[in-house]
Amino acid sequence: SAGDAAAGKAKAAVCAACHGQNGIALIPMYPNLAGQHEMYLVSSLKAYRSKERNGGMAAIMQGQAMALSDEDIADLSAYFSSLPAGGK
Amino acid sequence: SAGDAAAGKAKAAVCAACHGQNGIALIPMYPNLAGQHEMYLVSSLKAYRSKERNGGMAAIMQGQAMALSDEDIADLSAYFSSLPAGGK
């Protein structure tokens, strides 16, 4: 894995508002991220950043992802992937 | 919930090839679906069907979602949401 989960944790405060402190979204329109595959998270964040991913609540994530470097994306993906699925 | 998880299970065979029998994807480019929020799954499938969601492996899901009715989407989303997160 290229991402640094500890670095990702430090960058994840803004994510928690919608995706939960433990990666479990309290609002059902938003996906749980805990335990998701790191590679998929990287791919999704890049698709939001490039504005290829639209529909649903994508506009919110496009705005968030715009500020992320490739390293930020790798670190955040490593972090959420490392959290236990289901929030346990 | 509008979706029928039992009906969704009967429609989910094709999904299992990439997303796993238990909703845990064996291939890290594909997302785990087990325990994901039903409302988010509905939103994602509709965004693939409308071709609003692009990037990553979206072309595959656009092709799959094209064949799905609103009821199919509701049922499949109810089914995968009902599976235990982490595949336990």
Side-chain angles (χ1 to χ4, degrees):
Chain A
S1 151
D4 177 333
K9 182 175 185 175
K11 299 171 182 178
V14 67
C15 314
C18 291
H19 294 286
Q21 288 286 351
N22 58 355
I24 304 298
L26 298 174
I27 302 159
M29 272 302 291
Y30 300 126
N32 302 327
L33 303 179
Q36 187 54 271
H37 287 308
E38 180 174 354
M39 198 182 294
Y40 174 73
L41 294 176
V42 168
S43 168
S44 298
L45 280 167
K46 290 185 174 176
Y48 284 122
R49 189 175 61 180
S50 65
K51 296 187 166 46
E52 291 174 283
R53 186 183 274 205
N54 293 283
M57 309 301 280
I60 296 175
M61 279 305 302
Q62 288 177 3
Q64 294 296 326
M66 204 185 317
L68 301 177
S69 69
D70 283 0
E71 186 179 341
D72 292 336
I73 286 177
D75 292 346
L76 288 165
S77 299
Y79 172 60
F80 282 107
S81 178
S82 77
L83 298 177
K88 286 10 162 258
Chain B
S1 152
D4 177 333
K9 181 175 185 175
K11 299 171 181 177
V14 68
C15 314
C18 292
H19 294 286
Q21 288 286 350
N22 58 355
I24 303 299
L26 298 174
I27 302 159
M29 272 302 290
Y30 300 126
N32 302 326
L33 303 179
Q36 187 53 271
H37 288 308
E38 180 174 354
M39 197 181 294
Y40 174 73
L41 294 175
V42 168
S43 169
S44 298
L45 280 166
K46 289 185 173 174
Y48 284 124
R49 190 176 60 180
S50 66
K51 296 188 166 45
E52 290 174 283
R53 187 184 274 206
N54 294 283
M57 309 300 280
I60 296 176
M61 279 305 303
Q62 289 179 1
Q64 294 296 325
M66 205 186 316
L68 301 177
S69 68
D70 283 359
E71 187 179 341
D72 292 336
I73 285 176
D75 292 346
L76 288 165
S77 299
Y79 172 60
F80 282 107
S81 179
S82 78
L83 297 178
K88 271 67 157 211

